[in-house]
Amino acid sequence: MSSVIDWLDDRLDLSGLRHFIAEKGVPVHAQEIWYYLGGMTLFLFMVQVASGILLLLYYRPSATEAYESVQFIVTQVEFGWLVRNIHSWSGNLLIASAFAHLFSVFLLKAYRKPRELTWVGGVLLLFLMMAFGFSGYLLPWNELSFFATKVGTGLAGAVPFAGRALLRFLRGGDDVTGATLSRFYALHVAILPALTTVLVALHLLFVQRQGMSVPLKITRRLQRGERMKQMPFFPDYLLRDVLVWYIALAALAALAAFYPWELGRKADPFAPVPAGIRPEWYFLAMFQTLKLLPSHILGIEGEKLGVLGFGLAALALLLVPFLDRRSAREEPSPVFTALGLVALAYLIVFTIIGYRAA
Amino acid sequence: MQPTESELTHRSPAEGTRRSFLDVLLGSGFASTLMAIAYPVWRYLIPPLSGEPATASVVAAQGRQVKPNSGLLFKFGNKPALLVRTPEGELRAFNAVCTHLECTVQYKPDTSQIWCPCHNGLYDLGGNVVSGPPPRALQRLTVNQREDDVVVSLA
């Protein structure tokens, strides 16, 4: 091993890398536990890439064969059930972990200067993960996913002005058909992965470049001359990261083995909509909000207003580091803390209501 | 938690063995994780046997469809097969998969031979190699006529 490194060093000069590895440290303090969430999200994403590639070997993206090919994977291919369950569960855990990462970064104000771009990239990655979830949900072409996609893409039709065109663009036509499946497949296995790869690389590069953010309270203590402990990243912190990944892997394996993801019945456009149709849990809060909106508010369609609201909320989320001027000046900003807690409470409450209502 | 300078430089022999013991433990933990992942992936990659049964016999064509000195490709199970009527009027059938690199062979009326266009392999009308790279003769199939149906079956 060391001779291989010497050989490479001789040709590529690894002194910069070696210096980086030796110097990289992680601050040790009371809130340090939140640092693990980003790594866990990354780990689950890698699980998605690996299990997704495996599924590609047998999956067939067409309205006549998609359902049968997934059925084939889970019944005929050895360990196919495991691969599919891992992919489904890991996708859900990934989004949960990404949300937890987002809120922890938000509440610790880790987005403040100089990490604004890391935040923007991270929020975009969360949107991409949700797009992954939405497009992947349709691929087994079963009843539930078919109607959920009808409803979800139908919402795009409520976007002001461009709604109709957007709906046709998403569906590849006026209705959810095999053409929609082809589009969602392309999105899910080519377009989204390409975008995600670039954004993940940038996100990680920024984190490496800037090191871990330290919460405001602690930077104040540092300004008063207190010293902060650092832990070397290699190998101390990395081993702790690996430990967290093991916990995620164990949870994933247990869920995949004991709670298999149902395949349901094959989609039939002319069958009645099954009762209790609802999207995946991470869209439930939005779904429930739209349900509660009256059909017309001040002469505008409720749906349109809702979609507009979601759009504005997404934009506000992206721009948080630029809106929160106090944090940028390293001052406490209780307003943003309160906003974050309200948003968190809203998401949790509406998800629970949505879950119980459906 | 960090060992001090003196602890690092003056490590007792007992601590040395404890450290290498822990290293072995950690290493075997990683190795078994890798194996636990690699085994299902390996099994997953092996395609399951297809349920398609081997074909025993098919109706290849109507006898009058095949003129003397001509050939006709037909589906025999999941493989292509070639039905040939010799210039003398006799019907013969072969597995149309070339024994060289599995291209599909065809009838060559100008020389009354079976020809593989991929690497210019030639077989005579008994399926035997005349020239070119094929290592073996073509597999012959049994031809029977039932009224006008040409029934081809495994020999």
Side-chain angles (χ1 to χ4, degrees):
Chain A
M1 189 64 194
S2 69
S3 64
V4 174
I5 292 172
D6 287 342
W7 190 90
L8 285 171
D9 196 12
D10 219 16
R11 286 149 183 86
L12 299 168
D13 183 21
L14 303 177
S15 60
L17 186 64
R18 194 171 304 146
H19 182 73
F20 173 77
I21 288 174
E23 291 293 301
K24 184 170 164 60
V26 176
V28 179
H29 54 75
Q31 261 86 46
E32 162 213 354
I33 185 147
W34 302 110
Y35 290 162
Y36 292 104
L37 285 172
M40 187 146 111
T41 311
L42 180 64
F43 170 73
L44 290 168
F45 180 70
M46 292 188 298
V47 170
Q48 285 307 83
V49 172
S51 56
I53 288 173
L54 288 176
L55 289 174
L56 275 182
L57 298 183
Y58 295 108
Y59 176 73
R60 298 176 186 198
S62 82
T64 47
E65 287 183 308
Y67 179 85
E68 285 77 3
S69 69
V70 177
Q71 207 169 36
F72 179 79
I73 290 172
V74 296
T75 58
Q76 303 294 310
V77 183
E78 274 195 87
F79 291 106
W81 59 273
L82 183 65
V83 175
R84 177 183 183 237
N85 286 340
I86 292 260
H87 196 69
S88 304
W89 273 112
S90 174
N92 279 274
L93 293 186
L94 165 59
I95 289 187
S97 161
F99 266 111
H101 185 42
L102 175 104
F103 276 104
S104 68
V105 167
F106 186 95
L107 293 172
L108 291 171
K109 310 283 164 32
Y111 53 74
R112 67 187 190 278
K113 192 188 164 198
R115 297 185 174 77
E116 299 95 327
L117 291 177
T118 319
W119 168 270
V120 172
V123 172
L124 290 177
L125 277 170
L126 179 74
F127 294 161
L128 284 177
M129 292 305 121
M130 292 172 85
F132 263 120
F134 185 65
S135 56
Y137 196 52
L138 179 68
L139 298 187
W141 199 247
N142 58 25
E143 244 180 8
L144 217 62
S145 69
F146 177 80
F147 287 107
T149 303
K150 255 181 120 106
V151 175
T153 50
L155 267 186
V159 171
F161 308 116
R164 185 83 204 140
L166 188 62
L167 179 140
R168 279 182 49 84
F169 175 75
L170 279 175
R171 289 185 178 171
D174 287 315
D175 287 306
V176 176
T177 58
T180 320
L181 184 63
S182 297
R183 277 182 182 230
F184 275 39
Y185 176 72
L187 198 66
H188 193 79
V189 308
I191 301 163
L192 294 175
L195 293 174
T196 306
T197 306
V198 174
L199 278 178
V200 166
L202 284 175
H203 198 71
L204 291 177
L205 181 72
F206 292 167
V207 173
Q208 296 317 312
R209 199 69 198 141
Q210 301 176 319
M212 302 307 283
S213 157
V214 175
L216 266 174
K217 258 186 214 152
I218 296 165
T219 47
R220 307 193 141 235
R221 285 210 304 251
L222 293 178
Q223 279 160 4
R224 288 200 297 269
E226 257 182 65
R227 281 194 59 202
M228 189 175 51
K229 282 211 287 187
Q230 288 257 343
M231 184 191 290
F233 185 83
F234 296 98
D236 301 45
Y237 195 80
L238 186 63
L239 283 174
R240 288 171 185 232
D241 253 339
V242 170
L243 184 69
V244 174
W245 296 356
Y246 261 107
I247 294 170
L249 188 65
L252 196 56
L255 286 169
F258 297 119
Y259 297 93
W261 214 262
E262 275 191 45
L263 183 52
R265 287 216 302 262
K266 185 174 175 171
D268 176 1
F270 301 105
V273 184
I277 193 95
R278 62 157 181 249
E280 294 265 76
W281 61 269
Y282 39 89
F283 292 118
L284 264 182
M286 277 198 267
F287 181 69
Q288 190 60 27
T289 309
L290 287 175
K291 263 198 192 168
L292 292 180
L293 285 178
S295 70
H296 283 86
I297 305 165
L298 304 172
I300 306 169
E301 265 177 60
E303 206 107 286
K304 275 206 164 58
L305 217 60
V307 170
L308 202 66
F310 294 145
L312 288 177
L315 189 66
L317 188 65
L318 268 175
L319 296 180
V320 159
F322 308 102
L323 299 174
D324 183 4
R325 301 313 307 163
R326 289 179 65 94
S327 287
R329 293 194 299 266
E330 295 282 308
E331 289 166 22
S333 86
V335 175
F336 274 79
T337 306
L339 281 175
L341 290 174
V342 168
L344 184 61
Y346 160 76
L347 285 180
I348 292 175
V349 169
F350 271 66
T351 303
I352 292 172
I353 296 175
Y355 196 79
R356 295 173 63 114
Chain B
M1 291 302 275
Q2 289 292 327
T4 65
E5 191 77 25
S6 66
E7 275 173 340
L8 282 171
T9 43
H10 307 286
R11 188 172 282 151
S12 64
E15 200 178 338
T17 50
R18 200 178 75 153
R19 170 159 282 248
S20 56
F21 174 70
L22 289 175
D23 278 346
V24 168
L25 221 56
L26 191 66
S28 40
F30 285 144
S32 30
T33 305
L34 277 183
M35 268 151 59
I37 293 170
Y39 177 72
V41 168
W42 172 244
R43 302 295 302 182
Y44 179 90
L45 292 176
I46 300 169
L49 297 172
S50 65
E52 204 163 359
T55 310
S57 73
V58 296
V59 177
Q62 305 290 299
R64 59 188 134 75
Q65 270 181 293
V66 197
K67 303 270 176 297
N69 196 28
S70 77
L72 177 81
L73 282 170
F74 63 96
K75 192 168 153 10
F76 190 77
N78 50 11
K79 291 209 162 55
L82 179 67
L83 182 66
V84 169
R85 196 186 283 277
T86 62
E88 293 76 41
E90 193 191 335
L91 280 168
R92 291 177 191 172
F94 305 91
N95 181 345
V97 178
C98 179
T99 56
H100 177 221
L101 289 173
E102 306 198 357
C103 283
T104 300
V105 297
Q106 54 187 261
Y107 187 72
K108 205 167 181 287
D110 53 338
T111 56
S112 300
Q113 280 172 321
I114 297 168
W115 177 53
C116 177
C118 292
H119 302 94
N120 209 20
L122 279 173
Y123 303 86
D124 66 16
L125 293 186
N128 305 304
V129 182
V130 175
S131 69
R136 285 184 308 281
L138 288 173
Q139 183 196 3
R140 269 196 81 159
L141 303 170
T142 310
V143 181
N144 288 299
Q145 274 197 279
R146 192 196 295 141
E147 318 229 315
D148 198 36
D149 287 350
V150 180
V151 180
V152 175
S153 48
L154 282 174

